[in-house]
Amino acid sequence: QPRAIYIHMEAKFARAAARDDLRQRRTAAAQLSWTGTAIRFALPLPLAAAFFFRAVDGLIFEPALNEAGLPPHALLGLIMATWVSLSLLSVSRPSVALALAATALGTLKQRVDGGVLKPPAVSPTAPVVALVTGASSGIGREVAAELARQGHTVVMGCRSAARCSAARVEILARLDVPGSRLVIPPDAALDLARLSTAARFASATGEATGGAAIELLVLNAGFVPLGSGGSGRSGESGLEEGLYAMYYGHQALVRGLASLHLLGPSATAVVVSSDAMRFGGFDGSLETGSGEGDLAGEVTAGCALPGPLPCAPLCWPAAAPGVSNLVESPLVPATGWSFGAYARAKLSGVLLAKEMLARGLVARSTSVHPGVVNTAIQRRDRDLPTTLAALPPLSLPVSIAEWEELLPSVGARLTDALERYALPLFMRDAATAAAVVLRAAVGPTHPTGRAAELGVHYFNGMGEAVGDASLTLRDEARLERLSGRLWELADAAREARAEKGGSGE
């Protein structure tokens, strides 16, 4: 009897162990299945995400598509539907999804980048003198290089004399052109956050070029403003740093060149803006008093929080009841939201181009979206510890000091890998963007459409002039008021700095 009981219990334990083993095997199989599904799902995702990112940037405001009856919001819907379909297909047919995503991305890159790879000839009949700001890196350096290659004389405007000299050496070595084609005015760094340097740079430019008239002015310098409140203000003025440098600084440079009669009678100005300007808006306080209320970043601050993408210059929208946008966009409400200082600064660049033309300072003036470009501006032109220090208190896994210790070994390798393999999928290179900028420089003298009639000549990321189907203004009267208002405030700031003798720099 005891032995029978033992045998019974042994069999019972064996059956239980078998059930447990089966349950464990089923659990393991389920986990393996989920893991496999996740891997299959993830494989095409980078290419699908890159397709979505590049398509939104390159297609939704393309004139040919918009004028053919596909407005921006319809194109955005089609792009989103394609992206979702590729993502869902990757679960069941990952190889098919991967092939389709690669084909779609390759076709798109050829369409939006392939057609602008060859820069146009600027003044093919005779060399001209050009001035390029932000010429030490990124788009500015490639614009300067291409103009020098074509035989023109280029005045390089840079904040750092050392970086400017290094860029000049690199360009000369790469192109094997005479050094006289790239001019750096001596002892005159151009720091757009200090208005007095703009006047000195203009004067030094005249001396360095022998008073030759500038026929092409490329206002390219820019950055992504960080911080909010005091952390995002210019040390010279107390105003919000993005608007101050990218609008006030460039306006002071143009004024300085004009006062010295260095802008030729047929001069062309190109302001490197961005489609981020479609998210830009101005607070109503700009139209009253001396503009107090938002100029110091009280409402429109830099990106104190990361944007929708880790490298994106746009902020998450913040409620701002007094802010209204000037340009129609399927993604942006007309009033009540701010997308940060970068969007406003790029919108101000469009107004700067308009106002230069309206005041007769140049014969032709345009603004251009160069596309989303893999340059230092996308990396905020700052090291990671500084970026983290500018963020509000967050639950960071390590301290800033620890980041500084980790970065040399980990951050540098990660950054290099991202720049080498990932970012080229999502962004175009600076040389392609430079070709777009030069296309805008030699494009149609008078783009068609209501915006062009008001002096807003804007070119998209393929160097095409956009018309009413791709650029619709929400409030024409307000645009006219703000365009003149910003210019007047910049004049007042420049004169105030001159009276103080540039103190506080």
Side-chain angles (χ1 to χ4, degrees), residues 99-387:
L100 289 176
T103 302
L105 180 61
T107 303
L108 177 65
K109 283 177 66 67
Q110 177 59 32
R111 177 177 177 81
V112 300
D113 288 350
V116 295
L117 288 177
K118 185 177 180 181
V122 176
S123 184
T125 57
V128 300
V129 177
L131 189 155
V132 181
T133 68
S136 63
S137 63
I139 300 172
R141 180 171 63 181
E142 295 305 318
V143 169
E146 177 58 29
L147 290 172
R149 188 193 66 79
Q150 293 185 19
H152 307 297
T153 299
V154 184
V155 180
M156 301 176 69
C158 314
R159 184 180 57 185
S160 166
R163 291 179 62 188
C164 209
S165 296
R168 180 177 182 273
V169 170
E170 186 276 328
I171 293 172
L172 293 177
R174 188 201 328 167
L175 301 180
D176 191 23
V177 297
S180 58
R181 293 186 187 174
L182 294 172
V183 177
I184 302 176
D187 303 320
L190 178 61
D191 185 350
L192 295 173
R194 296 179 173 179
L195 300 189
S196 59
T197 70
R200 288 200 296 269
F201 185 83
S203 177
T205 294
E207 296 173 4
T209 59
I214 294 170
E215 295 296 340
L216 176 59
L217 183 62
V218 181
L219 303 180
N220 160 75
F223 61 96
V224 176
L226 285 173
S228 60
S231 65
R233 295 178 184 174
S234 163
E236 176 180 273
S237 67
L239 300 183
E240 188 274 313
E241 60 177 348
L243 184 67
Y244 191 70
M246 286 182 264
Y247 185 93
Y248 282 58
H250 276 138
Q251 194 262 13
L253 174 62
V254 172
R255 279 294 207 190
L257 295 171
S259 67
L260 297 172
H261 307 288
L262 292 176
L263 293 177
S266 59
T268 292
V270 180
V271 179
V272 179
S273 180
S274 165
D275 265 352
M277 68 90 179
R278 298 175 185 273
F279 294 78
F282 288 95
D283 187 73
S285 60
L286 183 63
E287 299 182 64
T288 61
S290 297
E292 299 93 343
D294 193 20
L295 289 181
E298 297 92 335
V299 177
T300 307
C303 278
L305 288 172
L309 292 169
C311 61
L314 293 174
C315 302
W316 288 109
V323 171
S324 58
N325 300 87
L326 298 180
V327 180
E328 291 277 1
S329 172
L331 302 173
V332 184
T335 60
W337 296 94
S338 170
F339 287 80
Y342 181 80
R344 181 178 68 172
K346 289 304 181 181
L347 176 59
S348 75
V350 176
L351 300 184
L352 176 62
K354 165 182 162 43
E355 202 63 19
M356 281 191 287
L357 187 63
R359 294 175 182 265
L361 298 176
V362 293
R364 181 173 177 272
S365 185
T366 71
S367 50
V368 59
H369 168 56
V372 179
V373 189
N374 184 14
T375 67
I377 194 172
Q378 293 295 342
R379 298 184 291 278
R380 301 178 187 269
D381 204 16
R382 305 180 185 204
D383 57 89
L384 186 55
T386 303
T387 300

